[in-house]
Structures are given as C-alpha cells and as structure tokens.
C-alpha cells in the first residue's frame, strides 16, 4: 500500500505538476485520435481505395514524422535561447488544432497532406518544449524516476481511451468531422491550460 501511495502526487500540493500532466494527457489524446483512425479516414472521407489509403497512411505518417523531428530540434533550441516554454506549448496546440480542422473540413488528399505536415510541426514543437517543461515541475529530486513514470501515464492513457472515444464520435455524433473537431478542441484546451503552470515561464 505504501508503495502504491508513493505514486499519488496531490494536485493541491503540486499544482504545476498536475497541470503539466493534464496538458500532456490532452495533447496526446488529440494526437492519438488522428493517428488511430487515419486509414479509415482516407478510405471513408477522402474516398481512396484500400490500396491508395494504405499507401496514403505511409506517406502522411512519413511527412508527419519528418516535420515532428525537424521542429522538435528547432523548437527546442529556440525555446532554450528565449528561456520560455509556455508560449511554445500554446502555439503548438493552436497549430495542431488548425491541422485537425483541415482534416475535418477539407476532405481531399491535398487537405490531408497539409494537415499531416501542420500536425507534425505543432506536435514537434510541443514534444521538445514539453519535455523541458516537465523537468522543471518535478516535485523532488529523490523521486524523479517515479515522477517521470507518472508523467508517462499521460502518454499511455490516451492510447487506451482514443479508440473508444473515436468510435463513439464517428458512429454516433457525426463522423470524421466531429472526430477531428473534438480532437482540435482537445489540443487547444491542452495547450491553453499550460498557462496555469506558475513556476515556468
């Protein structure tokens, strides 16, 4: 019991850590909603054949991955030079939201490609800066390994929730437009809540 209790970090006692955890959870949830249903989106909304959709997923994830890596490096360097984190997280969430709205309303191959590129840019900036911000809000030096494990739950849980949430949104609340609209709102909320973190610029 004492071991399990050690993984609980009171949001009242460590509010910055709690807000950082929540923003990471929301940003990863928005990202997961996109990736998990991309193949079906290309087939159902963009109207590609099965073979074209499979190739399309490869092209889009490649473009997304490349943009993520490049902007993670550039965003991390820029953030370090300015000594600021939160503004980068906010911008990254807004860029990701624009990408998701493109996917929601421009259901063409060109729209999907532009959305993938923008999403990679947004998530790349977020990934680099968020990791740096997390290290600044860890509660204590003695428990950093455990605390980073707690933060990692915010990466893993969205992968569990996203399939169920996505299936419900697609089947019951309007299809892919609703799915990506909700994902955009989740990303905006996740990025804006970073303003509640007080100990990081």
């Amino acid at each position: 019991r004492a071991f399990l209790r050690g993984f609980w970090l009171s949001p009242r006692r460590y509010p910055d850590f709690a807000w950082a955890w929540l923003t990471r959870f929301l940003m990863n949830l928005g990202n997961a909603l996109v990736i998990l249903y991309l193949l079906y989106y290309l087939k159902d909304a963009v109207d590609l054949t099965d073979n074209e959709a499979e190739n399309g997923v490869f092209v889009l994830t490649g473009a997304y991955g490349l943009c993520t890596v490049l902007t993670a490096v550039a965003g991390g360097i820029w953030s370090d030079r300015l000594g600021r984190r939160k503004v980068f997280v906010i911008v990254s969430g807004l860029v990701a939201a624009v990408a998701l709205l493109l996917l929601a309303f421009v259901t063409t191959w060109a729209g999907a490609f532009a959305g993938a590129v923008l999403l990679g840019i947004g998530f790349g900036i977020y990934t680099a800066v968020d990791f740096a911000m997390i290290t600044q809000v860890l509660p204590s030096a003695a428990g950093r390994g455990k605390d980073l494990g707690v933060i990692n739950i915010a990466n893993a849980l969205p992968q569990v929730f996203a399939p169920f949430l996505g299936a419900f949104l697609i089947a019951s609340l309007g299809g892919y437009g609703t799915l990506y609209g909700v994902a955009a709102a989740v990303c905006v909320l996740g990025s804006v809540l970073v303003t509640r973190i007080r100990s990081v610029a």
Side-chain angles (χ1 to χ4, degrees), residues 120-135:
I121 292 171
F123 205 70
I125 296 170
Y126 171 79
T127 300
V129 176
D130 184 64
F131 271 113
M133 186 173 65
I134 290 296
T135 63

Side-chain angles (χ1 to χ4, degrees), residues 80-113:
D80 285 343
R81 286 182 177 173
L82 294 179
R84 299 179 66 84
R85 309 294 184 205
K86 291 191 287 190
V87 66
F88 286 89
V89 173
I90 293 169
V91 168
S92 70
L94 296 177
V95 171
V98 170
L100 292 164
L101 291 175
L102 264 177
L103 293 171
F105 296 109
V106 186
T107 53
T108 63
W109 171 250
F113 188 83

